[in-house]
Amino acid sequence: PPALQDKGSGKGNKGDGKGGKYTTQPGWKLVGADPSTKVPLCKGFNSSAGCSTMQCRKAHRCDIQLPNGNACASWTHNRAQHTGPKVET
């Protein structure tokens, strides 16, 4: 099955009501859930600010989509530190 694409909060950067990607790197495809557990990937963990949710129940794994369609899903880095292959839009 195709990877889920993270649509963010449903608001564009300027609050225009248009859906937008929650990303710090334009042009990178993102995955919305951990491929092994189907647990949603944490947007906060993958942002430059980091996750501030106490006892966050989302997966703290890299959400960059790899060429094979899966998420990177590494525990060792987030989206901002991803240096491996990725799918560009």
Side-chain angles (χ1 to χ4, degrees):
L4 298 175
Q5 189 167 358
D6 187 346
K7 299 280 185 188
S9 66
K11 294 252 182 199
N13 289 337
K14 296 181 181 176
D16 58 7
K18 296 178 183 174
K21 291 180 189 174
Y22 189 95
T23 181
T24 57
Q25 300 294 329
W28 292 7
K29 284 194 176 182
L30 309 177
V31 178
D34 181 314
S36 60
T37 63
K38 307 301 184 218
V39 173
L41 296 172
C42 180
K43 293 177 195 172
F45 173 77
N46 279 288
S47 74
S48 58
C51 180
S52 61
T53 303
M54 297 293 288
Q55 298 180 358
C56 181
R57 295 180 183 257
K58 296 182 179 178
H60 284 198
R61 293 183 167 217
C62 178
D63 64 355
I64 293 293
Q65 183 179 357
L66 301 177
N68 67 5
N70 291 330
C72 170
S74 174
W75 292 95
T76 64
H77 64 265
N78 66 8
R79 180 187 318 142
Q81 286 90 36
H82 183 89
T83 58
K86 58 190 169 287
V87 176
E88 299 194 24
T89 57

